[in-house]
Amino acid sequence: MKKEQQIDLYHQMVLIRRLEERGAELYQQGKIGGFMHLYIGQEAVSTGLIAAREPRDRVITAYRDHGVALNCGIPANEIMAELLGKSTGMSKGKGGSMHMADTSKNMWGGHAIVGGHLPIASGFAIGDQYAGNDNITICMFGEGATNIGYFHEALNIAKTWGLRVLWVCENNQYGMGTTVERASAISEIHLKAEAYGMKNSRVDGMDVMKVYDAAKEALDYVRKNSQPYLLEITTYRFRGHSMGDPERYRKQEEVKKWEESDPIGIFRKQLIEKKTATAKALDEIDTQAEEEIVKAVEFAEASPEPAMEDLFKNIYADTE
Amino acid sequence: MPKITIREAISQALMEEMDRDPKVFIMGEEVGVWGGAYAVTKGFYDKYGAARIKDTPIAENAIIGGAIGAAMVGQRPVAELMTINFGFSAMDYIVNQAPKLHYMFGGQFTLPLVIRAVGGGGRQLGATHSQTPDAIFAHFPGLKVVSPGTPEDAKGLLKSAIRSNDPVLFLEHATMYQVRGEVPEGDFTIPIGKSKVQREGKDVTIVTYCKGLELSMKAAEDLSKEGIEVEVVDLRTLRPLDMEPVIESFKKTNRAVVVEEGWKSYGVGSEIVSRIYEEAFDYVDAPIIRVAQKEVPLPYNRTLEQAALPQVADIVAAVKEVLK
Ligand SMILES: Cc1ncc(C[n+]2csc(CCOP(=O)(O)OP(=O)(O)O)c2C)c(N)n1
Ligand SMILES: [Mg+2]
């Protein structure tokens, strides 16, 4: 990968981190409501993955979607505005944290019913197959979502019909407070694809370059063979499941241990060791990301609330 | 009598029934180690252990289908849906299996099963996580649908639900767990299928339940200051529906407002209003008004969400309207 692109990936990861940290503060101040799930610790997953897609490839994910939205090219301003429920948010303040989509960026949403978006991802691929193009749908979900029927129905139809879907399981070890082992018959999630005769693999999600390479390979396979693929990316969330999670189910030592493999720290070290960038250059990127998020908050706070008549807008597409 | 919250009342009911009957166990997402997504089963896992407090995978069909099966072979499971919105993922089991199996097989087996689920809007959770879809569940004969609005009713009705030999859907409200009220000490039950007058008055009858009760009691206070005395009838159970206290009250006041949090169209209010017209038409002095949610999927934005939900002021205005 070119030097500039690597540095851009670093920038994206730091930007996600800062966005999430500021988001958490605003939540605590009561400016953000509802459920908010942070991506801190998982930045390398969507950053490496989305970098490997063609712009024509569609992305769909679950409610832990701020990072994915940024990686897909949705401006931080709009993400922050949506978090604050403003009319300038990409979902016009109606969706909130869990429902960020911008179809012009081929980001088809955060979806909050666990597993519910998997059959929809198959549907995107059915639509694209019908249209006769070779677009790929990249469908991201947690390991907890692989225990619900939706997952199995979606994978089965994808393999049976030869649909171009890259299924991406972000295995962050927990579904809320339940470990993989307590909820899933097997903890190597990618092996579930074997039941459907589907190609699959597993990659370390704390290393953005490894994620990128694995995603590239999987996407190539899907595009060439017109077959789905299940890629499991192992990772860990450093914060609670959502804001206000008392985290009684795990020990702080465990979190500390994982924090040693902070994806941003790992990538930073790699970039410096390989002389792709100097520490100073990376520090500048850190500062720049910080400023971008400060501006995004300013933009969001200054943005107008949706108008009262917006309540009744977009209930139906037919206006008459 | 001690004053406790609805959360405590539900928690007590579950514990007391588990202590009373070893056949009772709980299964659902995050009910154990986490202590319940709404902290209702906090401490249960330590007290009863993993065999009686079952943390399930995220698999609503496995939860409700599993609870149905366990009930059919003689256990008394209390299945928890983290929210009623996730119940849609198990709709077949809730409305197409549980209410039918006893009847369709000529009563050969029973389904002593409780499905606890929290619902309701007002927490900025967005359209898929904020619903009050009570009416659609109440549509199905064979299912009992209970939705209390006070701690006393929550405790007494949940105990009855657990002791019932039929499937009971027990609907709680996400913004009401901290509501406090007096609850009798010791073992008591409140029968399923009995409405109750929660406040007496002579001018207008308000028919409501659950969140609507909380709002209506506040509206009643406000109206009382203006010299208007409303009678508040709390349905408590949506199916089987007890119209007797409603009709009795209506015959006294001749005017009614029906309050619910769900959407107005095809809602609980639609049923209540028709039943009043069917059973007490001669007593009608003014068209009955329904106060309910605006006909939109609930938005995230707080101001818009509140504008879509029924408010105390809407009830006050409706009462004045039927008095005109
Ligand atoms: C059908 C359904 N059931 C339950 C929930 C509540 N819920 C939201 S997130 C979650 C855990 C999901 O875990 P996982 O899929 O591993 O994703 P992660 O949060 O770890 O990213 C649960 C149980 C839901 N949103 N939808
Ligand atoms: Mg997970």
PDB file of all heavy atoms in Angstrom, chain B residues 170-194:
ATOM      1  N   PHE B 170     -46.550 -10.216  29.546  1.00  0.00           N
ATOM      2  CA  PHE B 170     -46.541  -9.245  30.638  1.00  0.00           C
ATOM      3  C   PHE B 170     -45.748  -8.035  30.181  1.00  0.00           C
ATOM      4  O   PHE B 170     -44.525  -8.088  30.051  1.00  0.00           O
ATOM      5  CB  PHE B 170     -45.905  -9.897  31.873  1.00  0.00           C
ATOM      6  CG  PHE B 170     -46.067  -9.116  33.143  1.00  0.00           C
ATOM      7  CD1 PHE B 170     -47.201  -9.275  33.934  1.00  0.00           C
ATOM      8  CD2 PHE B 170     -45.082  -8.236  33.558  1.00  0.00           C
ATOM      9  CE1 PHE B 170     -47.348  -8.565  35.122  1.00  0.00           C
ATOM     10  CE2 PHE B 170     -45.224  -7.519  34.747  1.00  0.00           C
ATOM     11  CZ  PHE B 170     -46.360  -7.684  35.529  1.00  0.00           C
ATOM     12  N   LEU B 171     -46.457  -6.935  29.917  1.00  0.00           N
ATOM     13  CA  LEU B 171     -45.818  -5.773  29.299  1.00  0.00           C
ATOM     14  C   LEU B 171     -45.488  -4.688  30.322  1.00  0.00           C
ATOM     15  O   LEU B 171     -46.374  -4.171  31.001  1.00  0.00           O
ATOM     16  CB  LEU B 171     -46.737  -5.210  28.213  1.00  0.00           C
ATOM     17  CG  LEU B 171     -46.986  -6.149  27.023  1.00  0.00           C
ATOM     18  CD1 LEU B 171     -48.150  -5.648  26.172  1.00  0.00           C
ATOM     19  CD2 LEU B 171     -45.718  -6.296  26.184  1.00  0.00           C
ATOM     20  N   GLU B 172     -44.215  -4.359  30.385  1.00  0.00           N
ATOM     21  CA  GLU B 172     -43.740  -3.314  31.302  1.00  0.00           C
ATOM     22  C   GLU B 172     -43.369  -2.082  30.475  1.00  0.00           C
ATOM     23  O   GLU B 172     -43.260  -2.163  29.264  1.00  0.00           O
ATOM     24  CB  GLU B 172     -42.519  -3.857  32.070  1.00  0.00           C
ATOM     25  CG  GLU B 172     -42.884  -5.093  32.884  1.00  0.00           C
ATOM     26  CD  GLU B 172     -41.682  -5.975  33.274  1.00  0.00           C
ATOM     27  OE1 GLU B 172     -40.546  -5.482  33.286  1.00  0.00           O
ATOM     28  OE2 GLU B 172     -41.916  -7.166  33.551  1.00  0.00           O
ATOM     29  N   HIS B 173     -43.165  -0.956  31.157  1.00  0.00           N
ATOM     30  CA  HIS B 173     -42.809   0.260  30.427  1.00  0.00           C
ATOM     31  C   HIS B 173     -41.430   0.768  30.858  1.00  0.00           C
ATOM     32  O   HIS B 173     -41.158   0.909  32.047  1.00  0.00           O
ATOM     33  CB  HIS B 173     -43.860   1.357  30.643  1.00  0.00           C
ATOM     34  CG  HIS B 173     -43.782   2.448  29.626  1.00  0.00           C
ATOM     35  ND1 HIS B 173     -42.778   3.391  29.641  1.00  0.00           N
ATOM     36  CD2 HIS B 173     -44.539   2.729  28.534  1.00  0.00           C
ATOM     37  CE1 HIS B 173     -42.941   4.209  28.606  1.00  0.00           C
ATOM     38  NE2 HIS B 173     -44.007   3.823  27.927  1.00  0.00           N
ATOM     39  N   ALA B 174     -40.616   1.064  29.856  1.00  0.00           N
ATOM     40  CA  ALA B 174     -39.211   1.408  30.114  1.00  0.00           C
ATOM     41  C   ALA B 174     -39.021   2.650  30.971  1.00  0.00           C
ATOM     42  O   ALA B 174     -38.008   2.790  31.645  1.00  0.00           O
ATOM     43  CB  ALA B 174     -38.471   1.587  28.788  1.00  0.00           C
ATOM     44  N   THR B 175     -39.992   3.556  30.969  1.00  0.00           N
ATOM     45  CA  THR B 175     -39.805   4.780  31.756  1.00  0.00           C
ATOM     46  C   THR B 175     -40.538   4.724  33.103  1.00  0.00           C
ATOM     47  O   THR B 175     -40.651   5.728  33.796  1.00  0.00           O
ATOM     48  CB  THR B 175     -40.306   6.033  30.991  1.00  0.00           C
ATOM     49  OG1 THR B 175     -41.729   5.934  30.850  1.00  0.00           O
ATOM     50  CG2 THR B 175     -39.662   6.142  29.616  1.00  0.00           C
ATOM     51  N   MET B 176     -41.024   3.538  33.476  1.00  0.00           N
ATOM     52  CA  MET B 176     -41.830   3.472  34.703  1.00  0.00           C
ATOM     53  C   MET B 176     -41.218   2.651  35.839  1.00  0.00           C
ATOM     54  O   MET B 176     -41.836   2.500  36.896  1.00  0.00           O
ATOM     55  CB  MET B 176     -43.224   2.907  34.373  1.00  0.00           C
ATOM     56  CG  MET B 176     -44.070   3.867  33.544  1.00  0.00           C
ATOM     57  SD  MET B 176     -45.685   3.172  33.198  1.00  0.00           S
ATOM     58  CE  MET B 176     -46.516   3.391  34.776  1.00  0.00           C
ATOM     59  N   TYR B 177     -40.011   2.129  35.628  1.00  0.00           N
ATOM     60  CA  TYR B 177     -39.438   1.262  36.667  1.00  0.00           C
ATOM     61  C   TYR B 177     -39.231   1.974  38.004  1.00  0.00           C
ATOM     62  O   TYR B 177     -39.181   1.346  39.048  1.00  0.00           O
ATOM     63  CB  TYR B 177     -38.125   0.647  36.191  1.00  0.00           C
ATOM     64  CG  TYR B 177     -38.344  -0.475  35.205  1.00  0.00           C
ATOM     65  CD1 TYR B 177     -37.872  -0.391  33.902  1.00  0.00           C
ATOM     66  CD2 TYR B 177     -39.053  -1.615  35.574  1.00  0.00           C
ATOM     67  CE1 TYR B 177     -38.085  -1.424  32.994  1.00  0.00           C
ATOM     68  CE2 TYR B 177     -39.277  -2.645  34.683  1.00  0.00           C
ATOM     69  CZ  TYR B 177     -38.789  -2.547  33.391  1.00  0.00           C
ATOM     70  OH  TYR B 177     -39.014  -3.562  32.501  1.00  0.00           O
ATOM     71  N   GLN B 178     -39.091   3.314  37.954  1.00  0.00           N
ATOM     72  CA  GLN B 178     -38.860   4.057  39.205  1.00  0.00           C
ATOM     73  C   GLN B 178     -40.153   4.555  39.847  1.00  0.00           C
ATOM     74  O   GLN B 178     -40.110   5.187  40.906  1.00  0.00           O
ATOM     75  CB  GLN B 178     -37.947   5.261  38.948  1.00  0.00           C
ATOM     76  CG  GLN B 178     -36.557   4.911  38.447  1.00  0.00           C
ATOM     77  CD  GLN B 178     -35.690   4.255  39.510  1.00  0.00           C
ATOM     78  OE1 GLN B 178     -36.184   3.736  40.520  1.00  0.00           O
ATOM     79  NE2 GLN B 178     -34.389   4.249  39.279  1.00  0.00           N
ATOM     80  N   VAL B 179     -41.285   4.294  39.206  1.00  0.00           N
ATOM     81  CA  VAL B 179     -42.564   4.731  39.787  1.00  0.00           C
ATOM     82  C   VAL B 179     -42.776   4.022  41.123  1.00  0.00           C
ATOM     83  O   VAL B 179     -42.625   2.811  41.222  1.00  0.00           O
ATOM     84  CB  VAL B 179     -43.738   4.416  38.819  1.00  0.00           C
ATOM     85  CG1 VAL B 179     -45.085   4.603  39.499  1.00  0.00           C
ATOM     86  CG2 VAL B 179     -43.637   5.282  37.560  1.00  0.00           C
ATOM     87  N   ARG B 180     -43.088   4.800  42.148  1.00  0.00           N
ATOM     88  CA  ARG B 180     -43.259   4.247  43.487  1.00  0.00           C
ATOM     89  C   ARG B 180     -44.717   4.161  43.897  1.00  0.00           C
ATOM     90  O   ARG B 180     -45.529   4.986  43.469  1.00  0.00           O
ATOM     91  CB  ARG B 180     -42.565   5.160  44.519  1.00  0.00           C
ATOM     92  CG  ARG B 180     -41.142   4.829  44.741  1.00  0.00           C
ATOM     93  CD  ARG B 180     -40.453   5.739  45.743  1.00  0.00           C
ATOM     94  NE  ARG B 180     -39.050   5.447  45.664  1.00  0.00           N
ATOM     95  CZ  ARG B 180     -38.480   4.383  46.241  1.00  0.00           C
ATOM     96  NH1 ARG B 180     -39.206   3.565  46.997  1.00  0.00           N
ATOM     97  NH2 ARG B 180     -37.198   4.149  46.081  1.00  0.00           N
ATOM     98  N   GLY B 181     -45.002   3.206  44.751  1.00  0.00           N
ATOM     99  CA  GLY B 181     -46.354   3.110  45.281  1.00  0.00           C
ATOM    100  C   GLY B 181     -46.412   2.086  46.391  1.00  0.00           C
ATOM    101  O   GLY B 181     -45.473   1.313  46.592  1.00  0.00           O
ATOM    102  N   GLU B 182     -47.512   2.109  47.122  1.00  0.00           N
ATOM    103  CA  GLU B 182     -47.670   1.185  48.246  1.00  0.00           C
ATOM    104  C   GLU B 182     -47.987  -0.211  47.745  1.00  0.00           C
ATOM    105  O   GLU B 182     -48.775  -0.390  46.816  1.00  0.00           O
ATOM    106  CB  GLU B 182     -48.794   1.670  49.166  1.00  0.00           C
ATOM    107  CG  GLU B 182     -48.383   2.903  49.946  1.00  0.00           C
ATOM    108  CD  GLU B 182     -49.439   3.320  50.955  1.00  0.00           C
ATOM    109  OE1 GLU B 182     -50.574   2.805  50.881  1.00  0.00           O
ATOM    110  OE2 GLU B 182     -49.113   4.165  51.807  1.00  0.00           O
ATOM    111  N   VAL B 183     -47.353  -1.183  48.376  1.00  0.00           N
ATOM    112  CA  VAL B 183     -47.573  -2.581  48.010  1.00  0.00           C
ATOM    113  C   VAL B 183     -47.787  -3.373  49.293  1.00  0.00           C
ATOM    114  O   VAL B 183     -47.002  -3.235  50.236  1.00  0.00           O
ATOM    115  CB  VAL B 183     -46.360  -3.134  47.226  1.00  0.00           C
ATOM    116  CG1 VAL B 183     -46.502  -4.625  46.977  1.00  0.00           C
ATOM    117  CG2 VAL B 183     -46.188  -2.388  45.901  1.00  0.00           C
ATOM    118  N   PRO B 184     -48.859  -4.181  49.361  1.00  0.00           N
ATOM    119  CA  PRO B 184     -49.102  -4.961  50.570  1.00  0.00           C
ATOM    120  C   PRO B 184     -47.921  -5.878  50.874  1.00  0.00           C
ATOM    121  O   PRO B 184     -47.267  -6.369  49.954  1.00  0.00           O
ATOM    122  CB  PRO B 184     -50.340  -5.803  50.229  1.00  0.00           C
ATOM    123  CG  PRO B 184     -50.928  -5.193  49.018  1.00  0.00           C
ATOM    124  CD  PRO B 184     -49.851  -4.442  48.314  1.00  0.00           C
ATOM    125  N   GLU B 185     -47.696  -6.126  52.140  1.00  0.00           N
ATOM    126  CA  GLU B 185     -46.629  -7.045  52.501  1.00  0.00           C
ATOM    127  C   GLU B 185     -47.109  -8.485  52.365  1.00  0.00           C
ATOM    128  O   GLU B 185     -48.309  -8.753  52.426  1.00  0.00           O
ATOM    129  CB  GLU B 185     -46.170  -6.765  53.936  1.00  0.00           C
ATOM    130  CG  GLU B 185     -45.128  -5.656  53.975  1.00  0.00           C
ATOM    131  CD  GLU B 185     -44.764  -5.261  55.389  1.00  0.00           C
ATOM    132  OE1 GLU B 185     -45.551  -4.527  56.011  1.00  0.00           O
ATOM    133  OE2 GLU B 185     -43.687  -5.690  55.847  1.00  0.00           O
ATOM    134  N   GLY B 186     -46.180  -9.397  52.184  1.00  0.00           N
ATOM    135  CA  GLY B 186     -46.530 -10.818  52.134  1.00  0.00           C
ATOM    136  C   GLY B 186     -47.101 -11.227  50.786  1.00  0.00           C
ATOM    137  O   GLY B 186     -47.143 -10.450  49.838  1.00  0.00           O
ATOM    138  N   ASP B 187     -47.523 -12.475  50.750  1.00  0.00           N
ATOM    139  CA  ASP B 187     -47.994 -13.067  49.501  1.00  0.00           C
ATOM    140  C   ASP B 187     -49.399 -12.563  49.153  1.00  0.00           C
ATOM    141  O   ASP B 187     -50.307 -12.630  49.966  1.00  0.00           O
ATOM    142  CB  ASP B 187     -48.005 -14.593  49.671  1.00  0.00           C
ATOM    143  CG  ASP B 187     -48.316 -15.283  48.361  1.00  0.00           C
ATOM    144  OD1 ASP B 187     -47.940 -14.741  47.305  1.00  0.00           O
ATOM    145  OD2 ASP B 187     -48.943 -16.352  48.396  1.00  0.00           O
ATOM    146  N   PHE B 188     -49.540 -12.024  47.962  1.00  0.00           N
ATOM    147  CA  PHE B 188     -50.880 -11.654  47.481  1.00  0.00           C
ATOM    148  C   PHE B 188     -50.876 -11.736  45.960  1.00  0.00           C
ATOM    149  O   PHE B 188     -49.819 -11.661  45.333  1.00  0.00           O
ATOM    150  CB  PHE B 188     -51.256 -10.232  47.928  1.00  0.00           C
ATOM    151  CG  PHE B 188     -50.525  -9.155  47.174  1.00  0.00           C
ATOM    152  CD1 PHE B 188     -51.112  -8.509  46.096  1.00  0.00           C
ATOM    153  CD2 PHE B 188     -49.224  -8.795  47.530  1.00  0.00           C
ATOM    154  CE1 PHE B 188     -50.438  -7.518  45.386  1.00  0.00           C
ATOM    155  CE2 PHE B 188     -48.538  -7.801  46.835  1.00  0.00           C
ATOM    156  CZ  PHE B 188     -49.143  -7.165  45.754  1.00  0.00           C
ATOM    157  N   THR B 189     -52.045 -11.927  45.385  1.00  0.00           N
ATOM    158  CA  THR B 189     -52.131 -11.910  43.924  1.00  0.00           C
ATOM    159  C   THR B 189     -53.253 -10.968  43.512  1.00  0.00           C
ATOM    160  O   THR B 189     -54.139 -10.650  44.309  1.00  0.00           O
ATOM    161  CB  THR B 189     -52.450 -13.311  43.347  1.00  0.00           C
ATOM    162  OG1 THR B 189     -53.686 -13.753  43.904  1.00  0.00           O
ATOM    163  CG2 THR B 189     -51.357 -14.313  43.651  1.00  0.00           C
ATOM    164  N   ILE B 190     -53.184 -10.522  42.291  1.00  0.00           N
ATOM    165  CA  ILE B 190     -54.260  -9.719  41.708  1.00  0.00           C
ATOM    166  C   ILE B 190     -54.725 -10.474  40.471  1.00  0.00           C
ATOM    167  O   ILE B 190     -53.896 -10.891  39.650  1.00  0.00           O
ATOM    168  CB  ILE B 190     -53.751  -8.305  41.371  1.00  0.00           C
ATOM    169  CG1 ILE B 190     -53.516  -7.542  42.685  1.00  0.00           C
ATOM    170  CG2 ILE B 190     -54.749  -7.558  40.474  1.00  0.00           C
ATOM    171  CD1 ILE B 190     -52.869  -6.203  42.522  1.00  0.00           C
ATOM    172  N   PRO B 191     -56.027 -10.694  40.350  1.00  0.00           N
ATOM    173  CA  PRO B 191     -56.490 -11.529  39.241  1.00  0.00           C
ATOM    174  C   PRO B 191     -56.269 -10.887  37.871  1.00  0.00           C
ATOM    175  O   PRO B 191     -56.442  -9.681  37.703  1.00  0.00           O
ATOM    176  CB  PRO B 191     -57.984 -11.694  39.526  1.00  0.00           C
ATOM    177  CG  PRO B 191     -58.339 -10.592  40.451  1.00  0.00           C
ATOM    178  CD  PRO B 191     -57.109 -10.255  41.226  1.00  0.00           C
ATOM    179  N   ILE B 192     -55.888 -11.716  36.924  1.00  0.00           N
ATOM    180  CA  ILE B 192     -55.786 -11.277  35.533  1.00  0.00           C
ATOM    181  C   ILE B 192     -57.204 -11.083  35.006  1.00  0.00           C
ATOM    182  O   ILE B 192     -58.111 -11.847  35.346  1.00  0.00           O
ATOM    183  CB  ILE B 192     -55.032 -12.347  34.708  1.00  0.00           C
ATOM    184  CG1 ILE B 192     -53.570 -12.392  35.158  1.00  0.00           C
ATOM    185  CG2 ILE B 192     -55.135 -12.072  33.211  1.00  0.00           C
ATOM    186  CD1 ILE B 192     -52.758 -13.535  34.556  1.00  0.00           C
ATOM    187  N   GLY B 193     -57.381 -10.020  34.180  1.00  0.00           N
ATOM    188  CA  GLY B 193     -58.706  -9.820  33.584  1.00  0.00           C
ATOM    189  C   GLY B 193     -59.663  -9.047  34.467  1.00  0.00           C
ATOM    190  O   GLY B 193     -60.874  -9.253  34.424  1.00  0.00           O
ATOM    191  N   LYS B 194     -59.128  -8.179  35.292  1.00  0.00           N
ATOM    192  CA  LYS B 194     -59.988  -7.319  36.125  1.00  0.00           C
ATOM    193  C   LYS B 194     -59.509  -5.876  36.027  1.00  0.00           C
ATOM    194  O   LYS B 194     -58.390  -5.553  36.421  1.00  0.00           O
ATOM    195  CB  LYS B 194     -59.931  -7.752  37.603  1.00  0.00           C
ATOM    196  CG  LYS B 194     -60.659  -9.045  37.888  1.00  0.00           C
ATOM    197  CD  LYS B 194     -62.167  -8.803  38.040  1.00  0.00           C
ATOM    198  CE  LYS B 194     -62.919 -10.129  38.061  1.00  0.00           C
ATOM    199  NZ  LYS B 194     -64.054 -10.206  37.153  1.00  0.00           N
TER     200      LYS B 194
END
